[in-house]
Amino acid sequence: MSVRTCPVSRQHGSVSGGHCPAGRVGPRGCAFAAFQPNLGAPTIYSEDSDDTGVLYEKERKALNEMLIPEAPARDVTNGLKNADNLNPTDDDLLAAALGAPGRRVLMRAEEIGPRTGWKDGYLSSSYGFLPPDPSDSPVALRASPGRIWSDLCERMPGVVARGNVRTSILALPMVTADLIPDRALWAATVCLGILASVYRYEENNDGNEGVSVVAPHGAFRNISGEADDEEEETKGIPRNIAIPLRQICTRMGRVLPHLTQFDVSIYNYKLRDPTSIQPYVARTENMDLRWPVFNDRAEAMFLLCMAEVHGCFQSGVELVTRCQEAVMNQDNEALLQEMVQLKSIIDQLPFVFHKISVNPNAGEQFANPVEWGQRYAKFSAPLSKRVPALSGLALPLFLLMDAFIGRKKYTSFLGIEAVHLRRWLPLNIRAFIAAIENHYRIPEFVKASGDPRLEGVLEGLIESYAGERGFMGTHRYKVYGFVEVVAKTGRTETNGNAGAGESDGRPWEEVHRTLSDSMRERLDPYRGEVKVQPHQMRGSFEECRFQARILDRQTIDADPDRSTGMVTFGLHNTGITFQPGDRLAVMPINPSYETAKVVAALGLENMMDSIVPVEQGSVWARFSKHLEMISKVPSAGLTVKNVLKRGHLAPLTKDLVITVHQMLRASSQTTLKILASDEWPVKGSVGDLLQTAIAEVPQEIWEQAFDLYNLAWLPKLIGLEVPRTYSISNSSPELLPSMIDLTVSRTESARDPAFRSIQPSLPLYGVSSGFLNPPPHLMDFPCGATDDDEVLIGVSRPIQFQLPPSASVPVAMFAGGSGIAPFRGFWQARSRTGIGRNILFLGVQSRDKFLHQEELRGLVQEGSLELHTAFSRDRNGLVYDPALRDLVEQDMDPRYIDTTIIEQGLLVSELVMSKSQGGLGGYLYICGSVTVYETVMSGLRKAIYMHQASTQSTADSLLATAFAERRFMLDIFMTPRAIPNNTPTYPMSKLAAHTGHRKGSRMWIGVHGGVYDVTDFLPMHPGGTLIVAASAGLDATKTFDDLAHSSNPEVSSLLSKYRIGHLVSKPDFRCTEISYLYDMWYQYLRNTVESLTTLSFEANNILEDSKVWFSSSGLFNIGGVRKFYQFQSRLMQNGFSTLFGAKLQEIYLKLSYSLANALAPNVRLPDIIGTITRAQSSPDTTRAMKEVSEIGQFVCNNSKSARFHENGILRYAQTVTELDMKFLEQIRDEAGLGMDAFDLIASMDEPTSSKQVKLASYLLSVMERIAAHLEAYYASLAQESIYRPEIENNPARTRWNNVRRKIKDGSFFVLARPPNMSSSDGMSTGLRARQNGVEVDFAQIFASAQQTLQLNTRSLPSHQDYEPRTPRRLADAHTARAAQTLQAPSSFESQQQGNALRRMSTFITDNMTTIRRLSRLPAEYDFTQLMATYGKHPQAQDGNSKPASTTSSSSSHGLRVRAPPNTSPMLAPPPLRTRTQKMLPTQTQTPNATSLDQHLHHRHHQPLPRAKDISSPSSVPSLPRTASPSAAMNAAMAHLHRRQPPRSVTPLPASPRASLALSAAGSISSRSAGTRRNLSGDAGLVLPHGHPPTASLPALPTGLKALKLGASSTAEERMFQQLQERASQV
């Protein structure tokens, strides 16, 4: 086609068949002509004197000239019967007549947008979805009367900090929208939306939403001027904001007034330096929020990163359009080029999102999840349920990419929401997405083309966007840890996933699952129906989606054995692209000498091509489908050859050997010998094991085990091998790389001695390294995997190991041995395009193993690289001479890499320090084994200490900052090692005690049966301390698996360094009920730990961040007062619902049921729920709540008064949060004691019924102490006050302001009342006296549980739960969240409460028959009398003393003792007579008992709370005169062997009621055991009368001591037994 002037390239002449610099030439000529004919509008492309109309006239041609320029060739028409196909298709006609729809929308937006203020949305070729000038609309607004809105938004953070938001908004004059020019509309929309939303936020968080004992003031009510016709979105908002907001939104085409996510992100930033264009302008480090609300970094980082992903995608809109044009023109080459460029952009998106850091050392990139969840998340609620939520789902980029990749399914929660949010996009953007989605679809064209290059690039693009290691996968893992912290501090979800967690799962796990569902919908068209969760694909064959052949194996050093070599794969027609730092996953192939052993032993020589039956849904079945999809060749299934070549043959795992052992019916001595090995895995292969066993096993057993007529056993015996990952060792400038290099170090070890006679006698090579880099002499044996075999491979991109975005940044690389692999790609890329400094520190054993020596010398001589070497076993060293730019040989002592680092210490320390610290801000990379990592880190610390830091802690801090800023990256690998058997085993209570929330304390986590001390790893963790701390003190196995850490060798290698022991597993109780109790108590312990760590998150944020309490100008920040008020209100009003709500009542109900069912229906038990209820409604609680309410009043209407109480508020916050922390520490320690009881019970040799009763009784005593802690907590809280004028800066002014405030609110005369300092004033400290005598039976406990269930019917399952319902929208969830008061529990607490209620309801339903029987039986005896006989005896009374049941303990002296309502003090019953027993010779303590005692003594280092509150350590309770010596000694031992919880502040009262059941249980167990000797050594503790307790006996906790004490049957016990039997017959 002849073109005089190309409007794009501006060239003259013909371009038909030629090359267009703009890449706009297709098979039919100039692609520009395809969209020009009917535009009829001016274009931005014109040339000098040529008018646009003349240009169009020159370019306009008839359709037949473009589509049928000449007659078809004769060889085409000869013999053609049907010539329809010679005519152009309808799609081709449409393409020629109208052009690409995406281009048409784009051109129209660029033409109309500048003239209309971009009211239809920003859309352009050059800027994508970003505004061409982010300051244009704000400048126009400032020049209009709307300046009053932008001025207030500019000072909003200060106004919020002063608590003056509503007053400032009400003071604004009315400005109507007709005064605002089109150019300023976008800025006006953002400002008015922010003002409306922040007003709603202040209304919902005004200091009355939490604890409030004062009626809310009406100062800000009825000012908004609400009218009957007012819309939901503007109700309650002042009319000076509501009216212009409605008018502006109408002009913007918004059917309802609302604020969107793109309003506050991509239209709400300003550039720091518009000239900083590398790699693109809109970067978080080059942007600030134009109108922040709170001005904290969490708000800024989230919104700016959303803007940056669109800045990164700035050219993506044009690329997507060109892709559609290439499809329209059927131009494969053009499509390939545009798709590769588009993929390179998508590859960068995960790095953008990863900038959001929860590491406090990350500087400006630190986003505190606690801060975000409690401030911005509440602000971001929509104005009503009808309008879209502020969600990242609404961002144009993601909706466009969904359309581009051809997403078909939108049935998940997020899919439905995405469809909904798309309807609210600006019209330009909606039109563009529709054009891409509905016309000339790229995926369909690629599939129809059959071009493997296009298919490969599209596959890579899909993986980069929606894959497990792509943007969606990175987003999902980032959200997991972030939402876990946020959910526990009062928030369920991210904005984009609100309401998705409404099920039994934990909120963050449900968010994780929902995001997985959305990912699978995107992957379905390319992966088929995905059966597994995306994180389960990591480390599996699913990552290997390409096939390639090995082209070459090269020697790259002077080692004759080639222990390290380079392997080259050919990538022809694969479409694979990669970047420096990427990794290649390889599915290894077993050598034929290993498969031959298996074939010979199993007799499979003639069956290699036989189809092997596999179970549907199994790993082998999925792999078979995967092979068929990758090869695009239909297959009947896997053959024997496939299984043997792809299966796991070596080394021998314990599960594999056990399988063989069972199949052979234990007939092989070798198998038995292998099973006795101390270390696993065993160095050998399946072939070795079978070759040895076949000579030992009878033939008939062998034939039955390995049936050749049914091979279903083969895939069960041999599992599928997993891929290995290697760093890519080259960088290619080609559009599509032609080859890929790997540097592979071969591992080898000697086989187990049991297999040394098996031929061929070869070492055991690494499965994958031996396949990729076999030793040269191995060619004497058939390898079985020739270079012509296609190998399954796949490219993965580690987020934490990529080159810096700027080519001028200095880079330091630290490598050990084969760790040089990724750095070869680094220096190749940097030497081509970069001007930055490249420094390599290389440590190897000797000069013979100096890898890539010639290539490195060449780079050094060119000046592209500085090389510093260290040879650990060679004196012939090399020294870098900067003057000569060469390596100079020098004799030196052997050295390790840390010595070289220290020699270059000044340079290294400057690289570590950031630019803000005055350093070079270099990027540092370590690649090698764990040993190399430790050596490098040691050298770096010493270098920094010598040259920059005065202390070692300062050096560690500088390194931690480099890690947090993501300038320090690791690629660590390690060969799996065996875990020694002598590693200590830690109980759950010990793990729970190490949460690391106190400064200087240690942090432990449990993973897959191991315990790890991760304290020293925290500074290096990319996610920071908070993410790890969320799992501190817990078994984090599920979290570890959900985040795919189990399949991440880098994580596993680093974690193994911090292993300290084994985690005790759940005992085998051989009793379903005890096992169920264990699960419940374990969950309760887990909740106490999570509550403690969660509290520490918020407490640390409140106490340690000065920005919370003071603004940058030094003024007192009401935002800090609000935060503390909301924090303490949630604790006070919910009463720690996770610990004292339905979960505790569930445990209480089941323990009571166990005792009532085992002992007697009307056994009197401690009223634990009543104690908690009374504590939560006590005068102390009221006083504490009133003080918190006073703080809320500072937020509500007296923000100016807060300055008079600054020091008092700060001191109150510090003291109260410390009380909160200590209280939860006490509850955790008590729960840990209960956990220990399960371990002891499991070791007892007693009947199950006896164990159950003893355990339930002890756990009830623990629960009673927990309830007593709650009373003591409220009593301590009541002592604190914010009114401390003596510590204020101006005490007199503080006193006068307080008097004035009291006079104003009418409470002044309360101060004139003389203070009452009596014992009933509620000011007592420490634990209150127990409610002695307050006991309940099972019927009352059951009635209380029923009442709880009736009050919480919404949490219970019903038939409605199984009916289909309309999915809840994001706006519903966000609006409800914003409207919630602090009286509602956090989402995590709600989820825990709901689950407990449902389980409790199920328990009652399942056991209704027994419960009815137990609830209706009449009382036949007083269990209090039995308590006096078998339990702890009351203290001796003198004539003036009160009965034991009503006497206050010494610690409660002078305190008010609350009696139960409508009851009188109960007198203690007289003790029953007991018969003195003589100690028999056979009742000495058994060795087993001694070991149990010693075990408990070793586990518990501090005594439990004593049986009675005592005033001095020497006070010992006296016993009744009638008590037997045995009873006296038991009581004394119980007193001596109690322990105090580690952080208990006040002594706890004993629990005689629960101990009663313990004693009764001991009696029952002794009877049920008959004449059998008690193995726990109970009788050995019965000492002769008058003898003191033996000093050598280990101290036991009270309840645990009671579990071990037993006594012989007495006459009174036999009477009790008869009463119980009689009761069971009723």
Side-chain angles (χ1 to χ4, degrees), residues 179-240:
L179 301 176
I180 308 301
D182 286 349
R183 188 173 148 218
L185 286 179
W186 269 114
T189 302
V190 176
C191 287
L192 288 170
I194 289 175
L195 293 176
S197 296
V198 76
Y199 192 91
R200 279 274 178 85
Y201 168 80
E202 290 287 329
E203 286 284 290
N204 294 330
N205 299 271
D206 64 349
N208 289 308
E209 73 277 13
V211 173
S212 180
V213 297
V214 180
H217 296 277
F220 295 97
R221 301 293 185 264
N222 300 323
I223 294 181
S224 57
E226 295 180 8
D228 294 338
D229 60 346
E230 192 165 5
E231 296 171 310
E232 292 181 25
E233 291 73 25
T234 55
K235 280 187 178 180
I237 297 175
R239 309 208 76 174
N240 57 346

Side-chain angles (χ1 to χ4, degrees), residues 1087-1105:
N1087 285 345
T1088 62
V1089 175
E1090 289 181 313
S1091 299
L1092 177 59
T1093 54
T1094 299
L1095 185 86
S1096 69
F1097 294 160
E1098 297 187 80
N1100 293 337
N1101 179 249
I1102 290 173
L1103 298 180
E1104 296 181 2
D1105 190 353

Side-chain angles (χ1 to χ4, degrees), residues 561-572:
D561 293 330
R562 202 178 67 190
S563 58
T564 302
M566 189 164 67
V567 184
T568 302
F569 283 89
L571 302 182
H572 179 65

Side-chain angles (χ1 to χ4, degrees), residues 669-929:
Q669 294 300 319
T670 301
T671 305
L672 287 171
K673 181 179 178 182
I674 295 299
L675 284 174
S677 299
D678 294 330
E679 294 185 358
W680 293 92
V682 174
K683 305 299 183 183
S685 66
V686 174
D688 295 333
L689 184 63
L690 294 178
Q691 286 291 321
T692 307
I694 193 172
E696 304 170 340
V697 178
Q699 184 175 356
E700 59 273 13
I701 295 179
W702 194 269
E703 296 296 335
Q704 292 176 7
F706 307 117
D707 185 5
L708 297 182
Y709 297 99
N710 183 3
L711 297 177
W713 51 266
L714 184 60
K716 297 178 182 178
L717 173 65
I718 300 176
L720 179 65
E721 189 58 87
V722 296
R724 307 300 200 270
T725 304
Y726 297 91
S727 297
I728 296 176
S729 295
N730 67 310
S731 173
S732 174
E734 302 172 283
L735 181 69
L736 289 180
S738 59
M739 63 183 64
I740 195 168
D741 293 335
L742 303 180
T743 301
V744 181
S745 177
R746 183 179 62 257
T747 61
E748 59 182 82
S749 58
R751 296 181 188 258
D752 191 272
F755 306 132
R756 287 180 180 173
S757 61
I758 306 301
Q759 295 298 322
S761 180
L762 293 171
L764 186 67
Y765 299 111
V767 175
S768 185
S769 62
F771 159 64
L772 294 174
N773 181 31
H777 65 80
L778 196 61
M779 300 311 296
D780 297 337
F781 301 94
C783 181
T786 65
D787 292 346
D788 292 333
D789 288 338
E790 293 205 331
V791 182
L792 289 178
I793 62 172
V795 176
S796 63
R797 176 160 294 113
I799 296 296
Q800 299 296 334
F801 209 79
Q802 295 291 314
L803 281 173
S806 174
S808 61
V809 175
V811 166
M813 301 164 279
F814 304 88
S818 62
I820 199 174
F823 298 139
R824 183 169 182 258
F826 278 27
W827 73 58
Q828 287 181 354
R830 298 263 299 180
S831 63
R832 279 197 309 269
T833 60
I835 57 176
R837 194 173 177 182
N838 304 309
I839 306 110
L840 174 63
F841 292 84
L842 177 62
V844 293
Q845 291 182 352
S846 65
R847 291 285 297 273
D848 288 342
K849 295 187 177 182
F850 187 3
L851 305 176
H852 303 293
Q853 181 174 357
E854 296 304 321
E855 184 175 350
L856 287 172
R857 278 187 177 274
L859 290 170
V860 170
Q861 293 169 357
E862 291 174 3
S864 302
L865 181 71
E866 300 174 27
L867 178 61
H868 303 281
T869 59
F871 301 105
S872 60
R873 302 179 186 178
D874 198 334
R875 296 187 59 87
N876 188 13
L878 290 174
V879 178
Y880 172 71
D881 189 334
L884 299 177
R885 287 189 176 181
D886 201 354
L887 296 176
V888 180
E889 296 200 14
Q890 181 176 328
D891 181 71
M892 60 179 63
D893 293 332
R895 56 171 58 188
Y896 289 98
I897 193 172
D898 57 338
T899 305
T900 305
I901 293 173
I902 295 172
E903 286 182 353
Q904 302 294 324
L906 181 60
L907 169 62
V908 169
S909 59
E910 290 288 342
L911 290 169
V912 170
M913 296 177 65
S914 65
K915 291 183 178 180
S916 62
Q917 297 169 332
L920 296 175
Y923 278 64
L924 299 95
Y925 304 84
I926 301 178
C927 184
S929 64

Side-chain angles (χ1 to χ4, degrees), residues 1183-1209:
R1183 178 172 299 189
M1185 294 182 72
K1186 183 177 180 181
E1187 201 65 27
V1188 176
S1189 175
E1190 291 289 337
I1191 296 177
Q1193 293 307 301
F1194 291 133
V1195 178
C1196 181
N1197 296 307
N1198 299 302
S1199 57
K1200 294 182 179 180
S1201 300
R1203 67 183 186 271
F1204 303 120
H1205 300 272
E1206 288 183 10
N1207 294 332
I1209 293 173

Side-chain angles (χ1 to χ4, degrees), residues 909-985:
S909 59
E910 290 288 342
L911 290 169
V912 170
M913 296 177 65
S914 65
K915 291 183 178 180
S916 62
Q917 297 169 332
L920 296 175
Y923 278 64
L924 299 95
Y925 304 84
I926 301 178
C927 184
S929 64
V930 174
T931 303
V932 171
Y933 161 75
E934 293 175 342
T935 306
V936 171
M937 292 301 296
S938 174
L940 290 173
R941 289 189 179 95
K942 292 178 182 178
I944 297 172
Y945 179 75
M946 290 175 58
H947 295 277
Q948 303 293 346
S950 58
T951 63
Q952 192 63 52
S953 61
T954 305
D956 292 337
S957 177
L958 291 174
L959 282 171
T961 300
F963 274 106
E965 293 176 349
R966 305 188 190 282
R967 295 186 294 105
F968 210 137
M969 306 186 194
L970 308 177
D971 187 355
I972 308 301
F973 53 83
M974 186 189 73
T975 303
R977 58 184 179 88
I979 303 300
N981 294 329
N982 58 355
T983 305
T985 299

